[in-house]
Structures are given as structure tokens and as C-alpha cells.
């Protein structure tokens, strides 16, 4: 997969290009990520990328021509159709399902908008407009990085264990179960170390009973999802055992009121 990211702040993208899962995929050439500085597509001495809005009002709007020239340059290099994503608060919400869909395109272009906006005519060249959530940001760089990370993980070969990507609880529409690592017992932070309570890993995880561990994790994931994100349960992909546990948990909950 190729990703071309167009931004006025290339330095914001660089750490992601060289770090972690995305950085490793680029090194191995499973992923090709090019960052384009929008100012390189200006033609004036001062490399101006924005201007005042027609009709007046606060803030500056990204000019259309530098973005058109950037898209022309990307089209000239990549063969085949481009999926051009504009990150903006007006977009449709980015979800894991959207990440899955985008992970199947060959050439992705991420245009980073600005808080004040992008000239409306740029949308002529945009395939889709995506928002990562309802909050005010200064620009589309962080949303573009969120999309890049979520999409890249789903490209075959980027994350080693394909199984764990597919089985990732969020992919199945559930929150994760609690995780623990060594040691099996730690002194409670801030507590008196002499005869003070300790924080223990649940016994079942140390038991070696794999069936019990699997059922405990299912119950924990469902308990958490029911408590924190009950909205997810409407569309979660549950097996028979999980449906039975959920009925039981809901029964216990209703029994209390
Ligand atoms: C460009 N707030 O916010 C949430 N998803 C995208 C955005 C965004 C923003 C400002 C500029 C994108």
C-alpha cells in the first residue's frame, strides 16, 4: 500500500514514519509513506498556502491551487486510482470498519485540513471526508496519523500475528479483558511496605486451566463492555458462549433493580 500525506507541518508526521509498527512496515517496504509539504506546491515567493475567507470572518482558509498541484504530482507518480481522504470535522466518523475498508485500497492520499477550513472547491478531488471525533483541533495532521496507524495495522504483513489482528477484541466489537504481567504480587503503591496489602493477579490466570482462563476473559470483556460501552453490544460479533454469559450478566443486573 502507498500513502501520500499532504501537510503544512511535515515535521509532525516524521516521528510516525520512523517509529513503531508504521516505521517497521516502511523499512520492510510493506508500506510506502511519502510526506508532501504543501508549501512546495506554491508558486509565489512567500510560499503562501492560505488566504482570508471570501465574505469575511475570522481565520484563514487553505487555498485550492497548491492542493490541486500536490494531487496532480501524486497522480503522476502512483499508477491506478487514488483514494483521496480529507480529514475534517465535517467528515463521516472514522471507525474500525472504515479502517478495514481503507486497508484494502492500493493508493491512499491523506490531505490534512486546517481548523479554519479548506476551500470548498478542493472537494472536487476528494473521495471522502473523514472525522476522527468531535473535538476542536488545530489541523488535520493528528487525525491523518490516527487513520494511518489504524489502516496500516490492517495491511497484511504490517503486524506480525494476523490472527491477533483479526481476533482483536475491538475488531469483534467488544472491549478488551484485563491484562496482567509479572510479578504475580506487587505492594500497593503508596502503601506501607510492612504488612500492607498487596495487589494480586487473579488466581485463574495462574491456574494453567486454559478453558477456565478463556471463559474468565470472555466474562470480563462482556462485563466491562456492558458497564462502559453498552452501545457496542448491539453490533458485537458474539459466539454462543458469549451470548449465554451476556444473558446471565444482564439477568444479574436486572435482578438488582
Ligand atoms: C482538520 N478538528 O477533527 C476530528 N477529526 C478531524 C478533525 C479536524 C479538525 C480540524 C482540522 C481536521
Amino acid at each position: 500500500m502507498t500513502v501520500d500525506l499532504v501537510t503544512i507541518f511535515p515535521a509532525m508526521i516524521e516521528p510516525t514514519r520512523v517509529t513503531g509498527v508504521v516505521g517497521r512496515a516502511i523499512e520492510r517496504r510493506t508500506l510506502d509513506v511519502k510526506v508532501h509539504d504543501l508549501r512546495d506546491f506554491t508558486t509565489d515567493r512567500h510560499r503562501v498556502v492560505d488566504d482570508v475567507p471570501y465574505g469575511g470572518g475570522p481565520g484563514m482558509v487553505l487555498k485550492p491551487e497548491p492542493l490541486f498541484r500536490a494531487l496532480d504530482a501524486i497522480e503522476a507518480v502512483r499508477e491506478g486510482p487514488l483514494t483521496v481522504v480529507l480529514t475534517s470535522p465535517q467528515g463521516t466518523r472514522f471507525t474500525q470498519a472504515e479502517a478495514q475498508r481503507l486497508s484494502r485500497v492500493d493508493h491512499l492520499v491523506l490531505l490534512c485540513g486546517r481548523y479554519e477550513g479548506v476551500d470548498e472547491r478542493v472537494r472536487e478531488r476528494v473521495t471522502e471526508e473523514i472525522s476522527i471525533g468531535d473535538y476542536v483541533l488545530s489541523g488535520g495532521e493528528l487525525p491523518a496519523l490516527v487513520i494511518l496507524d489504524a489502516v496500516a495495522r490492517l495491511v497484511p504483513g504490517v503486524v506480525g500475528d494476523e490472527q491477533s489482528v483479526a481476533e482483536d477484541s475491538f475488531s469483534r466489537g467488544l472491549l478488551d479483558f484485563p491484562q496482567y504481567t509479572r510479578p504475580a504480587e506487587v505492594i500497593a503503591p503508596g502503601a506501607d511496605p510492612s504488612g500492607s496489602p498487596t495487589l494480586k493477579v487473579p488466581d485463574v490466570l495462574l491456574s494453567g486451566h486454559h478453558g477456565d482462563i478463556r471463559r474468565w476473559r470472555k466474562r470480563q470483556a462482556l462485563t466491562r463492555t456492558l458497564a462502559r460501552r453498552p452501545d457496542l453490544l448491539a453490533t458485537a460479533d458474539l459466539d454462543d458462549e458469549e451470548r449465554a454469559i451476556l444473558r446471565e450478566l444482564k439477568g444479574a443486573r436486572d435482578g438488582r433493580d
Side-chain angles (χ1 to χ4, degrees), residues 87-89 112-116 130-141 143:
T87 57
S88 116
C112 304
R114 293 311 302 158
Y115 162 69
E116 297 87 351
I130 296 182
S131 164
I132 63 158
D134 297 335
Y135 21 75
V136 178
L137 298 171
S138 319
E141 283 74 15

